[in-house]
Amino acid sequence: MGQGGARGQRENRMMREAHREAAERVSQARLWQRHMAMARIGAIAGNGVNRPALSDEDIAARRLLIEWARAKRFEIGVDAIGNLFVRRAGLDPTAAPVMTGSHMDSQPRGGRFDGIYGVLAGLEALEAIDEAGVVTRRPIELVAWTNEEGGRFQPCTMGSSVYTGARKVEDFLDVTDNEGTVLREALARTLAATPELREHNFNAPAAAYVEAHIEQGPLLEQQGKTIGVVTGIQGLRWFNVEVFGKTDHAGTTPLALRQDALRDAIAIIDTLARFARDPSDVVRFTVGRMLVTPNSPNSVASHVLFSVDLRHPDPATIDRLGRSVEPLARDAVRQCTLKVTPTLHDDPCVFDAGVVAEIEGCAQALGLSHMRLPSGASHDAMYMARVCPTGMIFVPCEQGISHNEAENAKPADLAAGARVLTAALLALADQ
Ligand code: GLV
Ligand code: MN
Ligand code: MN
């Protein structure tokens, strides 16, 4: 081996050593305290969080993140859908950043870790790298995506879908929440709350993206592993199904003369549930949202809107399931008219082999137990995977419980995931 080779190897080793040192700077106490501080914003009974996208609580969470980022003099920006960016500069200002992040919005009865963990782990990584004094070639950029959950405004993964050019911001401006608030107004209020931030463009080039998240399933805990190296995300289809009937008096109108939107909605849901029945229990079928008008015990329902969420890891199967929704609904409807609107069409994604191997290597180098696994939940990484090499890091959550106030995770596991994230970001930032 020539001298250059030996020097190269030595430099490589020193670089890896610097990455490990930065990873060791991750502060478990700071990371946990920040989770608890964020959990106070929108806190609900049972240790849960209700922090809907583009709400006052979301704005408060953004302000807190900005305050922490400002204290470290990181650059902060926001784009036109409200995605919030925190950047630590690299040596080469023209190089595309390595990105990390997740979301700060929650489900209506959500927990303290879904989404916010990936944001706080990303901030922790930036701070650990800064405190270790590591200089990277590329900038490292944290992003808090707008409306990942889709609990208030549908669909989910809205911010990342717009950022990556898969959807347009105009597609979503007229979407309303259950109270009739229009997204356009909620977004304008959110952006007006941070007028000082620099404007960030959509679809700025990214060198790579790594997202940390709690697993939201039981596998890591069952297998006694600390780090999940995520291989991909299953496909999804979302629909809004609207049934139009006629309101009538519940006591006087003979059943045969009714156009009962709720009765037809139930028939449609029953048909779809039978169709989605799967002995191997891989198909996921959920109707989780329903709006009934006029929603009175003694008036026949004139209008029902309900959601359909379908998921499967196989592209052909999710396609077949998705294409069947409207014809099955039309067959099932009896007295009313029907409108089926697709709101989300995400094919399964497979993460980049190089990023997956890098995450695995970092977990190994840090002496953390790990396993590969696919994601049943959806994430913004699904959209980033369309535009740059992408991967995800999972950490265990108690009994796999998520989208539930009881969601819980161990401080040591959260810190371990942040260490792997730090090392992976550093490795990718020098490529
Ligand atoms: C995101 O929480 C999802 O729906 O998987
Ligand atoms: Mn999430
Ligand atoms: Mn979620």
Side-chain angles (χ1 to χ4, degrees), residues 73-250:
R73 302 186 191 286
F74 296 139
E75 285 173 50
I76 311 168
V78 68
D79 68 17
I81 187 105
N83 297 317
L84 194 61
F85 301 84
V86 174
R87 174 185 284 229
R88 181 176 187 263
L91 275 180
D92 180 357
T94 63
V98 169
M99 294 176 70
T100 183
S102 198
H103 57 99
M104 302 203 289
D105 65 319
S106 80
Q107 288 290 317
R109 287 178 53 186
R112 297 172 297 167
F113 303 96
D114 178 0
I116 196 69
Y117 170 56
V119 173
L120 296 179
L123 183 64
E124 189 59 44
L126 289 190
E127 293 205 32
I129 292 166
D130 214 51
E131 286 166 15
V134 180
V135 177
T136 56
R137 182 171 85 77
R138 297 180 180 281
I140 302 181
E141 190 164 71
L142 163 67
V143 50
W145 300 109
T146 293
N147 189 26
E148 189 273 353
E149 291 289 8
R152 178 184 184 192
F153 294 110
Q154 289 73 46
C156 60
T157 45
M158 200 180 263
S160 51
S161 73
V162 171
Y163 182 78
T164 54
R167 303 291 294 267
K168 294 205 166 11
V169 68
E170 294 76 25
D171 295 350
F172 300 127
L173 292 176
D174 295 325
V175 172
T176 52
D177 69 7
N178 291 354
E179 275 69 50
T181 306
V182 186
L183 184 138
R184 179 192 309 273
E185 286 157 22
L187 177 59
R189 275 187 75 236
T190 305
L191 292 175
T194 54
E196 72 284 10
L197 300 186
R198 87 182 148 78
E199 269 178 46
H200 198 292
N201 292 334
F202 293 144
N203 224 346
Y209 176 76
V210 183
E211 179 166 349
H213 208 281
I214 56 164
E215 183 199 340
Q216 306 182 278
L219 291 179
L220 292 173
E221 193 180 68
Q222 280 170 6
Q223 307 281 323
K225 306 282 190 202
T226 305
I227 299 296
V229 181
V230 187
T231 51
I233 302 180
Q234 67 177 339
L236 295 91
R237 297 289 186 274
W238 275 22
F239 300 87
N240 277 339
V241 179
E242 284 180 274
V243 185
F244 300 89
K246 181 164 82 67
T247 188
D248 268 313
H249 196 290

Side-chain angles (χ1 to χ4, degrees), residues 262-302:
L262 187 51
R263 214 165 65 182
D264 271 7
I266 289 165
I268 297 167
I269 294 167
D270 187 52
T271 301
L272 294 175
R274 284 169 199 275
F275 172 73
R277 203 174 279 160
D278 167 19
S280 57
D281 201 14
V282 178
V283 174
R284 300 283 178 261
F285 167 75
T286 307
V287 175
R289 176 177 183 242
M290 183 177 274
L291 300 179
V292 180
T293 308
N295 206 18
S296 162
N298 46 358
S299 285
V300 174
S302 59

